[in-house]
Amino acid sequence: MRRSAARVLALMVSVACAPEGPPNIIFVFTDDHATQAIGAYGDRLAGLDPTPNIDRLAQEGMMFRRAFVTNSICAPSRAVILTGLHSHLNGVYTNAERFDSSQVTFPQLLQQAGYQTAIVGKWHLKSDPVGFDYWEVLPGQGFYYNPDFRTVDGTARDTGYVTDLITDKALAWLDNRDPTRPFMLMYQHKTPHREWYPGPDHLTKYDDVAIPEPATLFDDYAGRTSAAATQEMTIRDHMRLSYDLKLWPNVLDPEEPLIRGAQRLRERMTDEQLANWDAAYGPKSAAFNAAPLSGDDLVRWKYQRYMEDYLGSIASVDDNLGRVLDYLDEHGLAVNTVVVYSSDQGFYLGEHGWYDKRWMYEESFRTPLIVRWPGTTQTDVENTDLVQNLDFAPTFLDMAGVEPPSQMQGRSLVPLLEGSRPDDWRDAIYYQYFEFPGVHAVQRHYGVRTDRYKLVHYYLIDEWELFDLVEDPNEMRSVYADTEYAAVRADLERRLASLREQYAVPDEDPVPYEPSP
Ligand code: SGN
Ligand code: CA
């Protein structure tokens, strides 16, 4: 971890003369950013120093090690964050539903309380944003290069790299706001979503780096339910050489259906961007095409290439976060602005041989959460309580001194941020994933996680998994049928039933199961 004593000292001095009044809030939100790829979390990629600015936030604030989502996929996570309600109550179960914007959301309540509110970047909820004085969002998933942006006035294409453009817009909004009132800005990136296009400054950043492999890269899915074996998200069989890994032209797999994706992005680029791109990627493609690999060697190569692009795209998030932090410093705003870093969920960076998310296994269930709140959070502290994205809405409201509405199912994290854990803090959390059938073929499942154990039910096929996270942190061997765990299992079953009752989970799925033809 890089540490700047001078910076911490400057912050402490400024805290001593912190202004009164409700804090500003900047919610920095990325798409698919795994904690494994954040230096401060100290995972296997930390040695590559992938995120110096995010690490700076962690040094100056509180980092949550056990922050989880309720449903590990994009649009559902966003709907949970806005409403403080589980998917079965906010109506966004999968990426397919349109967000019903007549629901109560935290931005609306902050706006009513006198906050200036804005969202810039990825939105992904189909309906127009409500509760924002200003919004400028990517339609759908958005594009990496020369993306379109949608505002109340319509849609227009911009020139540049998406992460840089979103930051330009966020800073422009900050420049033009009313300085006499507090603000809440949702600054939300597309990066590092598949297919992980790095920005122009980072196209070759990781080319000559040997990126450490996860221990489970060659997982054979034994010891778990059939769900783990029947998914479609392996680096080996489902990651495409051209679409995902940018080989051009792709000699190994000319039938690859997704080649159009790469083509689509190339068509959007300016001549200059394309020349820059081809100068970086052309030699890599030529080298691979000249000596194509196969079998495990190909898996290893694909993993390296995937990580080069994933980490390269994160470099742009981190650089741009640096711009925002500098802006706050330069404008005297750092001291009264809470900066929160999070992502819509985690991601597989080769663990279990996978990319993508969706599962209740740790890598995608977990999400990064770092909060710097000068004068409230201590610096450089870690929290290990069980928290969820369900808690974000009540937390933001509580920070602003607004009482969270009673229907919100999450709980304010403010006491934890202040360093005091309420005696009745939860000791178990609930999860449910609905998008099956769907891309990547991950079975529907729900489950409960406690400090040490996790019980998961793949309910359409009625198969169960139980993990002891102390004995088996990589979740390679379910002990569901192990008699030694009978008491643990009975206890988890009780907790699961009680959480389903507490959160009013219906017995029947709200999205009917329709097998694909
Ligand atoms: C796209 C991706 C999938 C990804 C979903 C959901 N394919 O369909 O890999 O799981 O989005 O992502 S791609 O061909 O577009 O790359 S999410 O972040 O929106 O939930
Ligand atoms: Ca996502």
Side-chain angles (χ1 to χ4, degrees), residues 160-177:
Y161 182 66
V162 67
T163 315
D164 301 332
L165 293 172
I166 289 169
T167 310
D168 294 346
K169 292 172 194 299
L171 296 182
W173 183 78
L174 286 175
D175 263 341
N176 291 315
R177 77 189 200 287

Side-chain angles (χ1 to χ4, degrees), residues 236-252:
R236 184 186 297 272
D237 294 326
H238 307 103
M239 182 175 271
R240 314 309 312 192
L241 287 170
S242 167
Y243 179 66
D244 288 309
L245 303 179
K246 296 105 185 157
L247 282 183
W248 191 269
N250 170 21
V251 294
L252 270 197

Side-chain angles (χ1 to χ4, degrees), residues 31-32 74 193 344-345 357:
D31 195 324
D32 300 351
C74 192
H193 191 273
D344 56 351
Q345 77 294 299
K357 53 255 181 179

